[in-house]
Structure formats: structure tokens, C-alpha cells
């Protein structure tokens, strides 16, 4: 996988398989007033996870060509960014409310306005562990979630406790109603569950 045509010696650095995926996923998403935006990543496994093996890949307003990321691996983590089992990692807009920033582990300016796709991806392979939004055409203001029109716009989404792993199928994840959705949709600027999951 890391083939180098200029190599002339086998130094045992060849990679034949991508590392096994960790069980991490988005547990919360907020698109609030002004810049009150954040993403929360949850470690649902029993092992520590080095987030440097993962990234956020995103598209602005769907995706330009409807197929590929506008910004693959747009946000990466430094080596040794450890997420303990059962813990969350919060990425917030740098101009968010102090309540959000006081819980944040890092800041990132390019969080969704409601119609921007964001995925948790594996560095190198590009495998999608979890996604919010649909890669494709611009949805308008946002995507429906749990039967709520434009649920990704001006709302806070919290993953249901029954969800045990990420979902790379947004249609399945967002659902058609409150019962079949993996998310609970809260009003804008509701940060009640920020900082922990279930």
C-alpha cells in the first residue's frame, strides 16, 4: 500500500493491509446560532484509540462533482492524540460560545452550515467510518433527520444510546422518523449532552 518505486532494499516497512478500524463514531453534532458549531467523536471500543490514524473529510454544499470529497483528510490529528474507551473528543469552532469551548479538545473553523457533508475517515484508505450528510448534490439548507426538515441546520443532533458503531450510510443513519433514526434532534443551541455520551 505504501509502494515506493525508488526503493532498492526491503526494510520491512511495507504495508500490506490497512490497520483494523477502531469503533469510533460521531456522538453529537451542533449547528447553532452564529459560530456555535461542534462535532463530538465517541470511542465505543474497549481500547484506546490514536486519532492520528483518522481524519475528517468534507464537502461544501454536498460535493462539487457529486462523487468525491472536496477536502479529503481536511482535519487530521497529531500522533498521540489519544481517545480513551468511553470518552469523547470535541472539535469546536474557534468562535463558539465559551460553554462549548470549555469542553473542546481542539478548534476547527470549517464546520458545517447545515448543508456540508462531514465524515470520519481512515487516513490512507479513505474508508468512511461515519458520516453526517450525503455525498452528492447540494441539499439546500440541510438534510432531514428523524423526520425533521433540515435537521442538520439550526439543530443539535445526539446519537441514540442504542447505536453501537458508526454508519457510512447517511440515509439509513438519518432515518425517516423518530423511531428508525439513529439520532435525536434537539432545538438549536441545546448543548445539554455536550462532553459525554450515554
Amino acid at each position: 500500500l505504501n509502494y515506493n518505486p525508488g526503493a532498492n532494499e526491503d526494510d520491512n516497512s511495507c504495508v500490506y493491509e490497512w490497520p483494523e478500524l477502531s469503533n469510533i463514531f460521531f456522538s453529537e453534532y451542533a449547528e447553532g446560532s452564529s459560530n456555535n458549531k461542534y462535532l463530538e467523536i465517541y470511542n465505543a471500543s474497549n481500547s484506546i484509540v490514536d486519532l492520528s490514524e483518522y481524519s475528517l473529510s468534507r464537502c461544501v454544499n454536498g460535493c462539487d462533482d457529486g462523487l468525491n470529497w472536496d477536502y479529503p483528510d481536511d482535519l487530521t490529528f497529531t500522533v498521540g492524540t489519544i481517545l480513551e474507551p468511553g470518552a469523547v473528543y470535541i472539535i469546536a469552532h474557534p468562535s463558539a460560545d465559551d460553554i462549548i469551548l470549555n469542553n473542546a479538545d481542539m478548534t476547527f473553523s470549517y464546520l458545517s452550515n447545515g448543508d456540508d457533508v462531514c465524515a470520519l475517515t481512515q487516513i490512507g484508505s479513505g474508508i468512511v467510518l461515519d458520516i453526517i450528510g450525503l455525498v452528492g448534490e447540494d441539499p439546500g439548507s440541510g438534510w432531514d433527520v428523524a423526520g425533521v426538515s433540515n435537521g442538520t441546520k439550526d439543530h443539535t443532533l445526539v446519537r441514540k444510546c442504542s447505536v453501537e458503531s458508526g454508519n457510512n450510510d447517511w440515509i439509513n443513519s438519518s432515518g425517516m422518523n423518530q423511531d428508525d433514526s439513529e439520532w435525536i434532534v434537539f432545538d438549536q443551541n441545546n448543548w445539554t449532552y455536550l462532553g459525554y455520551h450515554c
Side-chain angles (χ1 to χ4, degrees), residues 15-168:
V15 176
Y16 294 96
E17 294 181 1
W18 297 115
E20 184 178 346
L21 297 173
S22 300
N23 189 12
I24 57 176
F25 58 87
F26 294 128
S27 51
E28 196 160 334
Y29 157 100
E31 203 286 307
S33 60
S34 187
N35 288 314
N36 295 320
K37 308 169 191 290
Y38 63 84
L39 281 169
E40 183 181 86
I41 300 171
Y42 174 63
N43 181 358
S45 76
N46 295 319
S47 305
I48 62 171
V49 173
D50 188 340
L51 288 178
S52 67
E53 297 176 6
Y54 302 94
S55 64
L56 294 185
S57 297
R58 63 186 192 90
C59 288
V60 177
N61 306 332
C63 286
D64 285 344
D65 64 4
L67 298 171
N68 302 294
W69 298 115
D70 294 338
Y71 303 98
D73 298 331
D74 194 33
L75 183 149
T76 57
F77 306 90
T78 57
V79 174
T81 303
I82 299 301
L83 185 56
E84 298 284 343
V88 296
Y89 190 92
I90 297 166
I91 304 160
H93 191 283
S95 299
D97 187 280
D98 284 345
I99 294 173
I100 297 172
L101 291 176
N102 289 339
N103 284 278
D105 295 287
M106 74 177 298
T107 58
F108 183 64
S109 296
Y110 303 105
L111 296 174
S112 180
N113 290 321
D115 59 352
D116 304 319
V117 189
C118 185
L120 187 57
T121 47
Q122 184 181 40
I123 292 283
S125 72
I127 293 173
V128 174
L129 285 77
D130 203 8
I131 192 167
I132 296 173
L134 189 64
V135 173
E137 297 179 0
D138 186 346
S141 296
W143 288 274
D144 296 352
V145 184
V148 177
S149 180
N150 296 322
T152 55
K153 175 73 173 170
D154 300 332
H155 291 94
T156 296
L157 307 180
V158 176
R159 213 66 176 262
K160 291 179 178 177
C161 291
S162 58
V163 176
E164 298 179 348
S165 61
N167 191 339
N168 61 15

